[in-house]
Amino acid sequence: YCQNKPDVIIAAYPLYNDNNKTHPQDHGVLFKVPTPPNDIFDNNTSHRTILKIRKELGAIWGLAYDKYHHNIYASSVLMRYVPLHKQQAGAIYKIDANNTMSLFVKLPNKEVGISEKIFPRNLHSLQDYTIEHLIGRAGLGDLDIDEQGQYLYTVNMAKKELLKISTTTKQITKYPIPNPYNKECNSTMVRPWA
């Protein structure tokens, strides 16, 4: 992608309040940050724009930008202390140029290794125990888009599969991810993420 000083889109979970909002669900989660004039990013938060807050988008990790249609794709992720949007661990959301969000695709929780028994979760500090054993083992991993903007790629961590998702038809093609370490590392220990 070639652009002079592009905006950068990031997912973050700040521990402090954004714009003096008091409830954590009102804190920002998806931000747009302009490239600074000196090309050095710092911790000055006054330049960033909040695109989505936690209660709108929930816990996300993977981000991909469709430069042809100006859409941001964000994949849900299972993490402690941050709720999933509508309790969906297998969701990919689309945010258009007008900052309108829609559900793009959804894999059922069971498909990505999540049992409904983990809900409701206790999200208070040091209390979110029901998902501890699932972190890095269930849900979706990172998210990428091909150069032509035709396919999204993510990982189903529970099934150890690379998912190729058409951005036009939403068709999902699954590819098993083999153990790259053969006998050096037990397959149950290998955790593909991206």
Side-chain angles (χ1 to χ4, degrees):
Y1 191 71
C2 186
Q3 178 183 337
N4 189 24
K5 307 240 184 247
D7 289 336
V8 177
I9 306 296
I10 61 169
Y13 299 89
L15 297 175
Y16 48 83
N17 291 346
D18 290 309
N19 301 327
N20 298 316
K21 294 176 182 164
T22 56
H23 195 280
Q25 288 299 89
D26 293 326
H27 293 188
V29 67
L30 184 66
F31 302 91
K32 178 171 74 171
V33 182
T35 300
N38 62 2
D39 293 333
I40 298 172
F41 288 90
D42 57 29
N43 61 358
N44 182 349
T45 60
S46 66
H47 303 297
R48 70 181 185 194
T49 302
I50 298 171
L51 297 177
K52 293 293 172 196
I53 60 176
R54 286 186 195 184
K55 67 182 168 192
E56 293 177 299
L57 195 52
I60 59 166
W61 181 269
L63 296 173
Y65 182 69
D66 178 351
K67 62 185 175 183
Y68 300 103
H69 301 99
H70 307 287
N71 294 320
I72 300 168
Y73 293 93
S75 59
S76 58
V77 69
L78 193 62
M79 65 171 54
R80 291 182 75 189
Y81 315 121
V82 183
L84 293 163
H85 182 63
K86 298 187 178 179
Q87 299 183 345
Q88 287 299 323
I92 298 175
Y93 302 97
K94 181 170 82 170
I95 299 106
D96 68 18
N98 296 317
N99 202 27
T100 302
M101 184 181 92
S102 60
L103 179 64
F104 180 68
V105 294
K106 177 179 75 172
L107 282 78
N109 281 342
K110 187 176 180 180
E111 175 81 11
V112 294
I114 304 295
S115 165
E116 298 303 319
K117 292 178 183 177
I118 70 166
F119 303 112
R121 291 168 48 198
N122 184 347
L123 298 173
H124 297 289
S125 182
L126 304 176
Q127 300 297 315
D128 195 11
Y129 298 120
T130 59
I131 66 164
E132 229 172 11
H133 64 289
L134 298 172
I135 303 298
R137 293 182 165 97
L140 299 177
D142 198 13
L143 184 67
D144 285 298
I145 192 167
D146 73 331
E147 183 61 30
Q148 293 74 34
Q150 296 177 333
Y151 297 101
L152 292 171
Y153 295 90
T154 189
V155 172
N156 179 337
M157 291 188 285
K159 294 196 172 185
K160 300 181 184 178
E161 293 174 331
L162 175 67
L163 306 178
K164 178 181 175 182
I165 306 164
S166 168
T167 56
T168 53
T169 67
K170 302 181 184 181
Q171 179 180 345
I172 300 174
T173 307
K174 302 172 183 179
Y175 303 94
I177 299 174
N179 179 352
Y181 305 105
N182 297 318
K183 295 179 182 178
E184 296 171 24
C185 186
N186 186 315
S187 289
T188 60
M189 301 293 288
V190 176
R191 298 286 170 210
W193 176 262

